[in-house]
Amino acid sequence: MRVGLISDTHIPEARYELWPQVFDAFRGVDCILHAGDIHDLVVIDQLHDIAPTWAARGNGEDGSGGRPIQPDHPRLRESWLLNLDGLKVGLVHDVPIPEYPPHLTLERALKRYFGTTELDVLVYGDTHVEAINTINGILCVNPGSPTYPHNLETQYGTIGFLEISGGRAEATIWQITDDGIAPFDWNRWKRPW
């Protein structure tokens, strides 16, 4: 199973529409997970035209920064706990990675959003910084932002993919380019932690 991962699109704030390279890259995936800060919910429908899509409600959909509060949408929730090819995959916008104990911990966030800490994969966003880490046995993936990477001005950013096979998951991050997408260069952008 191949899953497209995206977050923090900020449409139409960043640009009128998502880069066409994103839609091209997601053609052929089994589903798409959007980790929030969508802003214009038409993006969910555009992605859903490619593959079944689930989206987490981000602070941008709830009016942060004076943005309009977005209405309910059947594919939009605060969090989703999905069974994807036998794995428990959580989708949410904001979690404390890195943690700030004792109160802002991943364990507390998982219990709040999903009622359990028994996840195989967690997909999250908010920071606009791509990350792949294993924390307490959970593969935690932030695909970054395709439009505002590292909270910089509008430019080509990143998306991700999750490959699930044989009860295991592997995540990758991809850089959007003029010609499509290319493997992300982890040396170009130093991770903050």
Side-chain angles (χ1 to χ4, degrees):
M1 179 176 218
R2 184 170 169 86
V3 181
L5 307 177
I6 190 167
S7 186
D8 298 284
T9 49
H10 289 257
I11 301 298
E13 192 175 277
R15 62 189 317 265
Y16 181 70
E17 289 185 324
L18 272 178
W19 308 109
Q21 297 92 315
V22 172
F23 298 111
D24 291 342
F26 285 162
R27 291 195 200 295
V29 298
D30 295 293
C31 65
I32 299 169
L33 305 181
H34 193 308
D37 272 3
I38 306 150
H39 298 311
D40 187 343
L41 300 187
V42 71
V43 171
I44 299 172
D45 297 324
Q46 291 171 334
L47 293 170
H48 191 71
D49 286 344
I50 296 171
T53 298
W54 290 272
R57 184 176 276 278
N59 53 300
E61 284 76 66
D62 287 336
S64 77
R67 297 175 183 98
I69 295 174
Q70 295 299 310
D72 290 337
H73 188 287
R75 295 180 199 95
L76 179 68
R77 289 187 194 163
E78 181 180 46
S79 62
W80 295 88
L81 183 55
L82 305 165
N83 181 326
L84 298 181
D85 206 19
L87 295 185
K88 291 181 187 172
V89 179
L91 173 65
V92 69
H93 181 58
D94 183 20
V95 291
I97 297 176
E99 297 181 302
Y100 297 97
H103 300 294
L104 294 175
T105 65
L106 185 57
E107 178 182 1
R108 287 177 69 140
L110 295 179
K111 285 181 179 176
R112 175 180 169 238
Y113 289 122
F114 309 110
T116 182
T117 59
E118 300 296 317
L119 271 66
D120 298 300
V121 180
L122 174 67
V123 178
Y124 68 101
D126 187 52
T127 65
H128 297 216
V129 177
E130 60 291 322
I132 301 173
N133 298 290
T134 300
I135 302 172
N136 301 328
I138 302 169
L139 177 61
C140 299
V141 186
N142 185 331
S145 170
T147 53
Y148 286 150
H150 295 240
N151 289 300
L152 300 172
E153 70 277 353
T154 301
Q155 60 186 285
Y156 291 148
T158 55
I159 59 173
F161 291 95
L162 187 65
E163 306 283 347
I164 302 174
S165 178
R168 297 178 49 90
E170 183 178 319
T172 55
I173 303 295
W174 294 78
Q175 177 70 51
I176 300 167
T177 69
D178 284 336
D179 301 321
I181 59 171
F184 182 71
D185 180 359
W186 290 99
N187 292 318
R188 180 174 176 230
W189 298 97
K190 298 299 181 195
R191 296 160 104 184
W193 51 283

